[in-house]
Amino acid sequence: PISRRQPARGGCTDHQVSFIKGAARRGSPGMGLASSRQRELRESLVDGGAVYNFPGDRQKKRRSRNYPTDSDGVQFDPTCDKYDFLLVFPRPDEQESEAAGARISWCEIETLWFQAIPGDEDRKTAGIEWLRREWVARFRTDTVSSAEGGDTVPLTALQGLVREHVVDRLTKAGLQLELTLAQDGSKVFCRVRAPVSLLERKADLLNHKLKFRGEVDPGPDFWRKSADQDSEGKPVFCEIVEESVLYEKNQANELLEDLYRAGKVGPNDAAVFDEAEPTKKHWSRRVHTLERIADRVPVTNRFPAHADFTQAPEARHLYDEYPSVRGKTLFLPKDRLYLTSKIMDEHFDFGVLVEHKVVEQCLALHDANAGESLTLEWFSDHWVLFWRSSIRDCGAPRVSMPQIDRGEACRSWERPWAQPLMEVRAYFGEQVALYFAWLGYYGYSLTTPTIVLTAAGVYEFVTGQSADDEGWWKPVQVSLAFFLVAWSALYKDGWDVEQRWCATKWGMLDFEEEEQDRPQFVGDADEPRRLSPITNQNETYYPAEKRARTQFFNSIIVALLALAILVIFALIFELEYKLLDVLPASLAGYVLPLLVAILIQWFSRLYNPIAYYLNESENYQTQTNYDNNLVLKVFAFEIMNNYSSLALTAFFKGWYWGCISGDDNCLSDLKRLTGVIFGVRFALALWGIVGGGCISRSYKALVKFVMPEADTNEDNDGENPMHEDVEEGDRLKALEHPAFVDEAELEAYEGLFDDYAEIVLQMGLVCMWSLGFYYMPLLAALEILLQMRVDAYGLVCDSQRPTPTPAETVGSWGTLMDTMSLLAVFTNAGIIVYTTKSLEDWSSNEKLCAFFVVEQLLLLTKALAHLCSTGIPTRLEEIQKRQEHVVERHKHCRFEEVFDDDEDDVAGLKRGHVDRSEVRERSQSTADGMSPFTRSRIAYLDEKLRACESDVTIARSQYRVACKTEVFNEDCGVSYSRRTPGLALGMVTLTVLEAENVGQRHDPVNASSCRAVVHVRDPTPRHQRAYEGPPGPAPQVSKPAKKPPRSNELPEDLRSAGARMVFNQTFSLAPVKTSKAEIFIEIMDHAKRLKRGSTTIALSDLSDQRKQALTLSILRPTATTTAQFGIPQEAAVLYVKAQFQYSRILPIKRRIYRLLEGRRKITQDRQNLRLGKAPEHQWDFPDDPSRPDPGATPTATPSSTRVGFAPAPAPFAPPPP
C-alpha cells in the first residue's frame, strides 16, 4: 500500500529529499545545509508573530500525539439578542388621527404601492391586487369610487395595514423580527435580523465577495522558504515543492481524517468530494490548504484574494472566519448589514415608504455590534480620540502602508493622519471608508506643499524680499507656481493609485451593482407608467424630453445666480473704492475682505437647498445620475462663489478699481483676502464648536462630547418617557428604555456629499491661490486634521448608522479634482503675469503673449507630472494578477496542466520519471493479470465502500441538524440548548425495580411504609463547578413498595420482614447539568422515620447513553448480622435500569469516527488488492474458504478478527424542552 509521506532531513519531505539526493549523486559539491544551519533558520524565520516550520516539521507535529486540538476560541454568547435593522412604524391614537390627520385615496395608494414593491410588473401587479382586496375588506370602500376621488381613509389606517403586511412578508422571507411597542403607544419598533443560512444564500445569489483565509496564499516570503540547494546551486523552495505533491485518494482521505480527529476541520472536510474533486490536483489542492490552515503557518500576505461566495461545501474552507458574540461567522458587520438590507429590498422599497410617511424610519443599528470587538467605544478611543490608542492600533494615513494592518507600529510623526481604515470599512462599509481614506490621503499629501510654501514664506520674511518688489524675474514665485501645478497633478494620480490599492485590499475591483429607482422618482403626470421597449413590462416612466427642458431652465437659473454673485462682489469692490475716501486704507483693506469671506459662507448655505430643489425637479431615476447632476449644479455655483472674488482681486481690481497700495499690482490685496477667507473658515468652525452658530451639526456634536454638562435638555422633566407597559397582541412587548430607541432619536445620516464638496473646494483654494498667501497649505492641513476627527465623531456618536454600501472609487469627485488641477494652470499663470510686478512695464499684448507662454509651460509641467507618475505600480499589478490566479486555482479549480489527467501517468512520473508508455504497459499488464478471485473481492469491497459512504453522508447530515439545536459544553460534559440559553439537556431515566435484604428477622421492615427517594448530587466543590445552581432537579419520591407474590421462594418470615421489596417505578430526572454528578437513591421508612439504606450511580458509568441493567449494593446505616437467625449473611442490593442521555452530538460524532475508520480500511485493502497484495484486515468475502457454510451451524467469530461497522447507537428520546 502507498504510505503517507515520511518526514526527513531538516524538515523536508521525502519527495524533496529524493530530488536533493539525485542532484547530489550528479556531483554537486556543497549540497544542502548542515542540520545546525537549518536549526538556525527554523528559529530565525519568524513571520507575523508566528515561527515558521518547514513542511516536514509541520507533518511531524501533526502526526505526534501532542498535536493540539482546536477549541472554539470564539466567545459565543448564547444570550445575545442582537438585531441589525430597525423599522419604526407610526401608531398614533386612532380617534385623534381621524379628527386631525391626513386622508388618502386609493389612487394615491396605488401609485405609492407600485413604487414600493420592487421587481417586475407581475410582482407589482400581484402586490396591488393584494392591497385592493385588503382595502375593500378593511375599509368597506370601493376602490373605483375612491380612485374617482369619492372616498378616502385616514392615513393612519393605511399605516396599520402596511405595518401588518410588512411584518408578515418579512417573516415569510425567513427574517427574524422582534416587535416592541413604545410605552406611550405612538410607535411600533420592529427589529430585523437574518439568520446565517439566509445570509449565505443571499451572498451566493449576489456573488458577494468575501476574503480568503491568509493561509490559502500566505505570501511571497512563505513560498520562498528554502533550506537546501540543487546541483546548480539554486535554492530549493520547500513550500512550492510541497504544494506540487499529488496525493492518492486514500492518502488524502487519511490526512483529512487525521485533521478531523484533531478538531482542525469539521465533518464537512473530513473526506474527498467525489463529484466536486474528480482529479488528484483537485483534492490535493484542498488537502494542502487545510494542512496550512491547521498548522497556522505564518501569513505575511497583506493583500489576500477576494472571491464570490459560494455555498459549495468543497470551497467553504477558503473563506476567512471572524469572531462574534453570535459565534464564528464568514461575514464582517458591514457584510451582514448589506446582505440583510438586500433581503429586505427584495420585498419592499423602504425609501418609498419612508418618503410617503407610511414608515417613519428604516435604519441600521449600532446596537448590532454591542459586545463585539468593533463598537462605538472602540472607534471613539482609536479613531476620534486617536491619541488614546496605541501605535499598533491607530492605523495608518494610507491603506497601501503596512501599518494599516493590526500589529504594525505607526510612526509617531504620522499619527495625526493615521486612521483605522480597515476597521472603518468592516463597520461602516467601503463607501464611508473610501471617503475617510481620501480625506486622510489628501491631508497627508498636504505636508509637502505645507513645508515648501511655509519655507518660502519664512524666507521672504527673513530676507525682507516680497513678490510685490519690482523686477521681471521672481525665481521663488515662478518655481512655486510650477511646483503647485505639478503637485496637484501628482496628487490626483497618486490618489488614483491609492484608491486602486483600497479596491485591491477590500475586494472591490470591477465592482458593479444594479441600481434601483430612487424613492423620489415619479412617473409623468400624463403617462405615469408605460410598456418598456426593453422588458415589455410596465415601468414607471418619465420622458427624457421633459427632463431636458427642466435641465435647460435650471441651468439658466444657476447661471443667473452665479452672475448675481459676481455682481455682488463687484459692488463690494466698488464700495471698497468709495470707502478709501472715508476710512484709512489699512482699515478699509480688511473690512471689505471680511465681508466677502462671510458672504461666501452664507451664500453657500443659502444655495444648497436651492440646488437640491432644482435637482429634485429634474426627477432622476437612479441615485448615480442624481448625484452627478447635483455635483454639476453645486460646483457651477460654488466655483463662482468661492473663487470669483479672488479672481477679481488678482486680475481686474488693479486696472479698474485700483489696489489698496495705490498701484496696479494687487498681490498684497490677494494675500489679505485669502488670509481673511481662511480666517473666517476657522472662526466659523470655532464658533460652531463653542457657540453653536450655523456650522454643521458635527461641530456641535463635538462640544457635546467634550463638554457633556453643556448639553441640557429643557424638555426633559427627569421622568422616563417609557413608563408604562403597553401591549399590542402577542408579538409586541414593551421594554424599559432599549438602546435602539436612543438610536432612532438620533439625526439621520446625511451622506457624504457636503463633506466631499467642502474638501474639493479647499483643494482648489490650495492649488489655485496659494501664490497669493504662502501659508494657505498650512492652514488647509490644520483644517483637514480638525475636519477628519469631527466627521469621525459625527459618524460615530451623533448620527444613525449608515447602511454599508460597496464602492470602488470616489466617482465624479475624482473628475472635479482633475478640474481643480487644470484651473490651477490658468490661475497660477495669471498671477505670475498680471498680479505680480514681474511684467509691470509690459504692454497688454505682451502680457497676453506672456500669459499664453507661461500657461503652456505649466500645462507641459502638468503633462510631465502625469507622465512621471508611472501609473499603476508593478507591484500592485502583480498583486492583482496573483489574486486572480489564487481565485482561479482554489475556487474555480483551474490548473495549468503539464501532464494528462491519467492518474497512472501521474503516478508513474512521481515514482521515478519513467517513460509514459512504460507506465501504461505496466498498468495494462497488471489489470490483465488480475484473477477473477481478486476481482470479486474488489467488487465486494466496492459495495461495502458505497454503503459506508452513504452511512457517512447520513451521519454528517444528522450531525449538522443536531448542532443547530444544541452545543456541547466540555467543562460540564453535557449539551446545552441553543434555542434556550442556559438550559442543560442532560436527562436520567431511572427505573427502580426491587430491593433485597433490606429487612431482616431481627429488624423487620414493612414494605408498604418504604419509599425510594432519588435525587442528583455533585461531589465537585461548589467553587470548581462550571454551572450555576443545583446539578439537577428536586428530589423525587416513589410510591410505597409492595411485597413480592406468595409464590416466591422466600420463607414467610423473611417475606413478612421485608427481605424483598418491589418498587417497579420509573423516574425522569431533568435537566441534569453535569456528567460528573451522581444519582443518589435512598430507601426511607416513613413510618419509623428511618433511612434503611442508600446507594449511588455515577453518571460517568452511563456515558454510552444506553439503557443498562444494574445491581447496586445498598449501604445500610448500621452493620447487622443474620447468622444467629439461621440464614446466610447477604448484602442488601437494589436492582435498577438506568439511562443517561446528555448529548445527541457525541454519539453521531463517534459513529462518524467509526465509519471513517472503516472506510479507511476498505480503501486501504482495495488498493492492496489492486497492487497484488494481501488484505491487511479480515473481511467476510463471499469466496473466503474460512467463511462458515450457510447450511452449517453458525459459530461465533471473535470480534477482533473481523472488520465491520459498529451498529448505530440506540435511539433515545429527545431532550426535555
Side-chain angles (χ1 to χ4, degrees), residues 1-2 934 937 1164-1176:
I2 299 178
T934 303
R937 289 194 167 193
Q1164 185 175 4
D1165 280 351
R1166 284 174 69 249
Q1167 188 68 19
N1168 288 338
L1169 291 173
R1170 290 180 183 274
L1171 296 175
K1173 296 184 179 181
E1176 297 182 8

Side-chain angles (χ1 to χ4, degrees), residues 600-876:
I600 288 174
Q601 302 298 324
W602 187 69
F603 285 151
S604 294
R605 284 156 179 77
L606 186 65
Y607 176 74
N608 272 348
I610 298 175
Y612 278 96
Y613 175 79
L614 295 177
N615 207 55
E616 196 69 45
S617 66
E618 295 172 6
N619 195 24
Y620 291 102
Q621 185 171 2
T622 64
Q623 190 66 36
T624 299
N625 291 335
Y626 178 87
D627 291 340
N628 291 339
N629 285 273
L630 181 61
V631 167
L632 291 177
K633 290 179 178 62
V634 169
F635 271 84
F637 177 84
E638 290 292 351
I639 287 177
M640 185 66 70
N641 181 38
N642 284 269
Y643 306 145
S644 60
S645 59
L646 297 171
L648 288 173
T649 302
F651 308 134
F652 302 101
K653 184 178 180 181
W655 64 269
Y656 187 80
W657 289 287
C659 303
I660 299 295
S661 59
D663 51 19
D664 293 338
N665 180 273
C666 294
L667 188 60
S668 298
D669 295 4
L670 181 62
K671 290 181 179 179
R672 191 180 301 111
L673 180 59
T674 53
V676 171
I677 288 175
F678 260 95
V680 169
R681 290 170 67 95
F682 271 91
L684 290 177
L686 293 175
W687 175 251
I689 294 175
V690 177
C694 60
I695 203 69
S696 67
R697 61 181 177 79
S698 298
Y699 293 102
K700 302 177 186 177
L702 185 59
V703 72
K704 291 194 293 184
F705 180 74
V706 177
M707 298 182 294
E709 64 276 4
D711 182 26
T712 58
N713 186 359
E714 298 177 357
D715 297 333
N716 188 6
D717 57 1
E719 297 181 0
N720 189 345
M722 304 182 72
H723 54 83
E724 309 181 20
D725 290 335
V726 181
E727 297 184 357
E728 183 187 45
D730 298 333
R731 302 190 63 186
L732 300 183
K733 63 180 183 181
L735 303 177
E736 287 302 322
H737 196 71
F740 60 81
V741 175
D742 294 332
E743 292 192 41
E745 295 173 355
L746 295 174
E747 295 186 25
Y749 174 68
E750 297 178 351
L752 300 169
F753 183 88
D754 294 338
D755 297 324
Y756 270 113
E758 185 177 355
I759 305 304
V760 170
L761 287 171
Q762 192 221 65
M763 176 199 166
L765 286 173
V766 171
C767 63
M768 293 166 61
W769 306 104
S770 289
L771 282 184
F773 185 57
Y774 288 164
Y775 299 103
M776 189 181 296
L778 175 61
L779 297 178
L782 295 176
E783 184 182 3
I784 292 299
L785 281 176
L786 178 63
Q787 185 73 28
M788 185 189 305
R789 306 303 168 180
V790 170
D791 286 350
Y793 178 80
L795 189 66
V796 169
C797 303
D798 198 47
S799 68
Q800 296 173 356
R801 184 174 185 175
T803 301
T805 304
E808 182 181 2
T809 65
V810 295
S812 58
W813 300 107
T815 305
L816 285 176
M817 295 180 208
D818 281 331
T819 303
M820 296 300 171
S821 178
L822 182 61
L823 291 177
V825 171
F826 300 99
T827 56
N828 284 283
I831 291 174
I832 291 175
V833 174
Y834 290 102
T835 309
T836 66
K837 295 182 179 180
S838 301
L839 307 178
E840 185 178 9
D841 298 333
W842 291 29
S843 64
S844 299
N845 291 335
E846 290 174 335
K847 286 185 177 181
L848 182 61
C849 293
F851 172 79
F852 283 116
V853 171
V854 175
E855 174 259 338
Q856 289 298 314
L857 291 176
L858 290 175
L859 280 178
L860 179 61
T861 302
K862 178 178 170 65
L864 291 175
H866 285 299
L867 186 63
C868 294
S869 62
T870 68
I872 300 179
T874 303
R875 178 169 173 263
L876 178 56

Side-chain angles (χ1 to χ4, degrees), residues 762-1005:
Q762 192 221 65
M763 176 199 166
L765 286 173
V766 171
C767 63
M768 293 166 61
W769 306 104
S770 289
L771 282 184
F773 185 57
Y774 288 164
Y775 299 103
M776 189 181 296
L778 175 61
L779 297 178
L782 295 176
E783 184 182 3
I784 292 299
L785 281 176
L786 178 63
Q787 185 73 28
M788 185 189 305
R789 306 303 168 180
V790 170
D791 286 350
Y793 178 80
L795 189 66
V796 169
C797 303
D798 198 47
S799 68
Q800 296 173 356
R801 184 174 185 175
T803 301
T805 304
E808 182 181 2
T809 65
V810 295
S812 58
W813 300 107
T815 305
L816 285 176
M817 295 180 208
D818 281 331
T819 303
M820 296 300 171
S821 178
L822 182 61
L823 291 177
V825 171
F826 300 99
T827 56
N828 284 283
I831 291 174
I832 291 175
V833 174
Y834 290 102
T835 309
T836 66
K837 295 182 179 180
S838 301
L839 307 178
E840 185 178 9
D841 298 333
W842 291 29
S843 64
S844 299
N845 291 335
E846 290 174 335
K847 286 185 177 181
L848 182 61
C849 293
F851 172 79
F852 283 116
V853 171
V854 175
E855 174 259 338
Q856 289 298 314
L857 291 176
L858 290 175
L859 280 178
L860 179 61
T861 302
K862 178 178 170 65
L864 291 175
H866 285 299
L867 186 63
C868 294
S869 62
T870 68
I872 300 179
T874 303
R875 178 169 173 263
L876 178 56
E877 291 182 342
E878 291 175 350
I879 289 174
Q880 294 173 358
K881 292 178 180 178
R882 175 65 183 176
Q883 290 182 347
E884 295 176 359
H885 171 75
V886 169
V887 172
E888 291 294 321
R889 180 176 178 82
H890 288 271
K891 182 175 182 292
H892 303 301
C893 301
R894 296 170 185 168
F895 305 98
E896 295 179 0
E897 296 295 341
V898 180
F899 308 111
D900 296 337
D901 286 336
D902 193 324
E903 294 187 1
D904 294 329
D905 292 356
V906 178
L909 291 168
K910 283 178 56 182
R911 284 194 293 269
H913 304 280
V914 297
D915 184 69
R916 183 174 302 179
S917 60
E918 180 183 351
V919 174
R920 288 177 175 169
E921 291 175 2
R922 187 185 307 171
S923 175
Q924 185 67 30
S925 62
T926 303
D928 294 340
M930 188 179 296
S931 65
F933 178 79
T934 303
R935 291 180 184 275
S936 64
R937 289 194 167 193
I938 292 177
Y940 172 79
L941 292 180
D942 288 341
E943 183 179 355
K944 290 187 72 68
L945 182 61
R946 285 192 294 270
C948 182
E949 293 284 359
S950 176
D951 292 341
V952 169
T953 302
I954 294 173
R956 284 176 176 164
S957 177
Q958 293 172 348
Y959 181 81
R960 285 190 288 267
V961 172
C963 287
K964 293 180 180 179
T965 59
E966 66 180 61
V967 56
F968 186 74
N969 190 320
E970 296 287 349
D971 295 331
C972 298
V974 174
S975 288
Y976 279 71
S977 174
R978 288 188 184 271
R979 298 173 180 173
T980 307
L983 175 63
L985 301 182
M987 181 177 69
V988 176
T989 303
L990 176 68
T991 301
V992 181
L993 299 174
E994 57 184 47
E996 289 185 357
N997 300 328
V998 176
Q1000 303 291 335
R1001 289 190 179 96
H1002 73 285
D1003 188 16
V1005 176

